[in-house]
């Protein structure tokens, strides 16, 4: 089981749903919005604050000299899922996976291992007015299950609004001069690129951390993955 945390770098958020206002070091007042699931809410309160597990985009904003933190963008589909990779300040399409369920999740973990990724940015479908759709629920279900697998390795899973990214991906490929056949094959991967670019352009604002319910996995996320000796030599 998993839950979602969302935050904003804007003014404090207040609603009828339980929320906790937090102050990020060197940031404006931010907020933590908790899901309405009561058992999950009680578990989330065990966290000291969300700044212990911020997305890489926010870390980079806070410290432009910060190194490391590779990100994998994922555009989930019913039969095809696009994958994009961000290393440093570059984002590139990686592949399109024609897999579902556990096979897809294990393949994403394998890619993350090979590419030294420590976070996943999964596109969340929404309508033009920002409302969630039936497809949103399916993506949340997959992301929640996948977040548990990722957390065992100290890797984080975030949800990012992906409305309009498929259209943006098609337009990008047309501008690049790619023919229709190539566009059809690669549109999902380029949609994942759009998800990552949107995530970084907003410094991760509005992303949701998909948090496993298990306290031991929460602790692993707080500790993060082992430090990369290429970036942090002893």
């Amino acid at each position: 089981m998993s839950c979602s945390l969302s935050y904003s770098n804007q003014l404090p958020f207040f609603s009828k749903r339980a929320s906790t206002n937090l102050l990020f070091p060197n940031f404006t007042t931010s907020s933590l919005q908790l899901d309405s699931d009561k058992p999950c809410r009680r578990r989330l309160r065990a966290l000291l604050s969300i700044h212990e597990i911020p997305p890489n985009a926010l870390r980079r904003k806070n410290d432009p000299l910060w190194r490391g933190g590779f990100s994998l963008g994922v555009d989930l589909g019913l039969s095809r899922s696009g994958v994009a990779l961000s290393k440093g300040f570059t984002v590139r399409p990686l592949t399109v996976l024609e897999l579902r369920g556990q096979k897809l999740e294990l393949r994403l973990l394998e890619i993350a291992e090979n590419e030294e990724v420590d976070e996943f940015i999964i596109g969340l479908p929404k309508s033009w007015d920002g409302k969630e759709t039936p497809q949103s629920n399916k993506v949340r279900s997959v992301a929640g299950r996948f977040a548990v697998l990722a957390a065992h390795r100290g890797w984080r899973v975030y949800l990012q609004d992906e409305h309009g990214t498929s259209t943006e991906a098609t337009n990008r490929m047309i501008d690049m001069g790619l023919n229709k056949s190539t566009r059809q094959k690669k549109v999902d991967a380029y949609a994942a690129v759009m998800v990552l670019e949107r995530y970084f352009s907003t410094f991760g604002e509005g992303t949701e951390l998909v948090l496993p319910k298990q306290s031991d996995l929460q602790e692993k996320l707080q500790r993060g993955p082992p430090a990369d000796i290429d970036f942090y030599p002893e």
Side-chain angles (χ1 to χ4, degrees), residues 105-176:
E105 295 162 12
L106 293 178
R107 179 61 181 137
L108 289 174
L109 292 176
E110 182 181 13
I111 292 174
E113 183 75 34
N114 293 337
E115 299 292 347
E116 301 178 317
V117 164
D118 65 1
E119 71 173 9
F120 300 84
I121 310 300
I122 297 178
L124 180 66
K126 290 187 177 181
S127 61
W128 63 269
D129 56 356
K131 295 181 180 179
E132 297 198 10
T133 67
Q135 185 64 20
S136 304
N137 294 330
K138 296 179 182 179
V139 169
R140 285 188 177 278
S141 177
V142 173
R145 185 174 63 246
F146 181 64
V148 174
L149 297 176
H152 279 285
R153 307 187 186 196
W155 299 339
R156 293 151 288 126
V157 174
Y158 296 91
L159 293 173
Q160 168 70 48
D161 179 7
E162 69 167 19
H163 173 69
T165 52
S166 293
T167 300
E168 293 172 5
T170 299
N171 292 336
R172 172 75 62 86
M173 289 186 290
I174 290 175
D175 291 341
M176 294 171 60

Side-chain angles (χ1 to χ4, degrees), residues 46 78 178 216:
L78 295 178
L178 300 180
D216 60 323

Side-chain angles (χ1 to χ4, degrees), residues 191-211:
V193 168
M194 299 299 108
V195 169
L196 274 184
E197 288 188 352
R198 182 177 298 180
Y199 158 72
F200 280 110
S201 69
T202 59
F203 300 104
E205 180 182 331
T207 58
E208 297 179 46
L209 170 65
V210 184
L211 188 68

Side-chain angles (χ1 to χ4, degrees), residues 73-77 80-84 93 95-97 166 169 173 183-193:
V74 183
D75 178 64
L76 287 176
R80 292 160 49 95
S81 295
V83 183
T95 187
V96 175
L97 302 175
S166 293
M173 289 186 290
R183 295 199 304 268
Q184 290 176 336
K185 293 177 181 179
K186 296 185 176 182
V187 63
D188 300 288
Y190 274 88
V193 168

Side-chain angles (χ1 to χ4, degrees), residues 5-7 22 24 31-32 47-54 209:
L5 297 175
S6 62
Y7 72 89
L22 303 171
F24 287 66
S31 64
L32 171 62
L47 289 175
L48 296 178
S49 67
I50 196 174
H51 79 261
E52 292 186 351
I53 39 180
L209 170 65

Side-chain angles (χ1 to χ4, degrees), residues 20 23 37 45 54 66 75-76 78 93 108 128 150 215 225 230 232:
T20 303
L23 187 63
D37 181 76
R45 286 175 177 167
W66 179 71
D75 178 64
L76 287 176
L78 295 178
L108 289 174
W128 63 269
S215 59
D230 293 331
Y232 308 102

